[in-house]
Amino acid sequence: RLWHQPLKHREWNGTGSTAHFQDIFLGRCYIYTQLVQPEFRPYHMQHTFETKLLIFTSHVLSLRDRDCKKIEEAFRNAFISKDPCEVTEEDYHPLMELASQTVPCDKTVFWSRTKELAHQYTWVRQEMFTLENTLLGYVADGLTWCGDSGSSEMNYQSCPDWRKDCKNNSVTVFWKVLSKMFAENACGMVQVVLNGSLSNAFSKDSTFGGVEVHNLHPEKVHTLQAWVMHDIGKSPSDSCSGSSIMDLKSIMSKRNIKFTCQDNYR
Ligand SMILES: Nc1nc2c(c(=O)[nH]1)N1CN2[C@@H]2O[C@H](COP(=O)(O)OP(=O)(O)OC[C@H]3O[C@@H]1[C@H](O)[C@@H]3O)[C@@H](O)[C@H]2O
């Protein structure tokens, strides 16, 4: 009778792994890597992908050779059968090596607390790439995943909450590792879209401020161009002359990267 007992997963404060995780992951991976199936492509990626393909051909098509099943297996092996509060950056390294991509110089877009606007921008400016326009960012966006040290199954009931359970959980560590690699691979002039409706458009506690800024290579990246955008209909709380942007400017100056800033770029 014991064999019929459903495995008891540890209880966490966050929502559980996304249902049908593996199907979603594989489906998104095939959409991204195969491109030749326009009817499968989500509308917002359709035109973007064709144009991006022309610019990005050497990188994206090389991904086609990397079997999506191998990528999904490497992703799963990073966290399955592990305590979801003990997942390390090293756990994700085999996946990063298998699915690493580089974005053409001058085409990288970072964002912080401006996810929707940043992706509207890269939809219109199809030659620009956010992290979610790369394979791993695209397949993982919006998903939740965690395992359990006593099981080979994903925990669909609950996963650690960043505040109530642990910061180094399987999802947060993934985005930290991927964001770091995205920043390390950036070159030329890079952009960042910041939120002028917040009192601090730049925050050292964000992924952009705490990870990406510190992983830009000054010998590859010559300029960081910031756009401080505030919500239409709301008065701006921060701007290029605000103290948080001055902090960003000073970090860039210490890292020998030129810094420019524009308020409400058209
Ligand atoms: N779906 C995505 N998630 C994330 C990306 C990303 O590109 N896509 N991230 C991080 N990230 C996760 O989203 C939250 C909220 O970011 P939010 O608080 O809104 O802003 P962050 O600066 O923390 O993160 C955005 C920055 O990091 C990459 C992307 O290249 C952007 O330049 C943050 O805690 C990360 O765990």
Side-chain angles (χ1 to χ4, degrees), residues 109-115 119 130-132 137 140-142 171-172 175-176 179 182 192 205-209 212:
V109 178
F110 298 104
W111 53 269
S112 192
R113 280 85 179 185
T114 54
K115 181 174 183 181
H119 292 95
T130 61
L131 179 53
E132 287 174 28
D141 180 38
V171 176
T172 305
W175 286 113
K176 184 175 177 183
S179 303
F182 188 56
V192 61
D205 300 331
S206 68
T207 307
F208 173 68
E212 292 169 329

Side-chain angles (χ1 to χ4, degrees), residues 175-177 179-181 183 204 206-216:
W175 286 113
K176 184 175 177 183
V177 173
S179 303
K180 184 176 174 192
M181 190 174 80
K204 291 173 188 167
S206 68
T207 307
F208 173 68
V211 176
E212 292 169 329
V213 155
H214 302 290
N215 284 283
L216 296 173

Side-chain angles (χ1 to χ4, degrees), residues 28 60 62 68 86-87 101 108 125 142 157 182 193 206 224 238 245 250 255 261:
R28 286 182 177 181
V60 177
S62 68
C68 280
E86 302 292 333
V87 175
Q101 279 173 277
T108 296
R125 290 289 305 275
Q157 281 70 48
F182 188 56
V193 185
S206 68
L224 171 68
D238 203 356
I245 301 298
S250 136
R255 306 208 62 230
C261 187

Side-chain angles (χ1 to χ4, degrees), residues 18 21-50 52 56 60 63 68 71 75 95-96 99-101 103 111 115 119 122-123 128-145 174-175 178-179 181-182:
T18 304
F21 179 89
Q22 189 175 29
D23 295 340
I24 294 169
F25 188 106
L26 283 172
R28 286 182 177 181
C29 181
Y30 288 128
I31 288 171
Y32 189 96
T33 51
Q34 295 194 18
L35 292 176
V36 291
Q37 309 280 345
E39 65 277 4
F40 279 125
R41 251 170 278 156
Y43 74 94
H44 68 288
M45 303 300 276
Q46 193 134 27
H47 305 292
T48 311
F49 261 140
E50 270 137 9
K52 284 184 190 297
F56 210 33
V60 177
L63 282 174
C68 280
I71 292 172
F75 190 100
L95 168 70
M96 295 299 152
S100 67
Q101 279 173 277
V103 172
W111 53 269
K115 181 174 183 181
H119 292 95
T122 55
W123 180 26
M128 307 301 282
F129 291 82
T130 61
L131 179 53
E132 287 174 28
N133 294 125
T134 66
L135 172 68
L136 289 177
Y138 178 69
V139 293
D141 180 38
L143 303 184
T144 301
W145 60 89
F174 168 83
W175 286 113
L178 192 60
S179 303
M181 190 174 80
F182 188 56

Side-chain angles (χ1 to χ4, degrees), residues 67-84:
D67 182 340
C68 280
K69 285 200 169 61
K70 286 201 186 87
I71 292 172
E72 195 275 337
E73 185 186 1
F75 190 100
R76 174 180 286 267
N77 288 342
F79 66 92
I80 277 293
S81 305
K82 291 174 188 166
D83 181 331

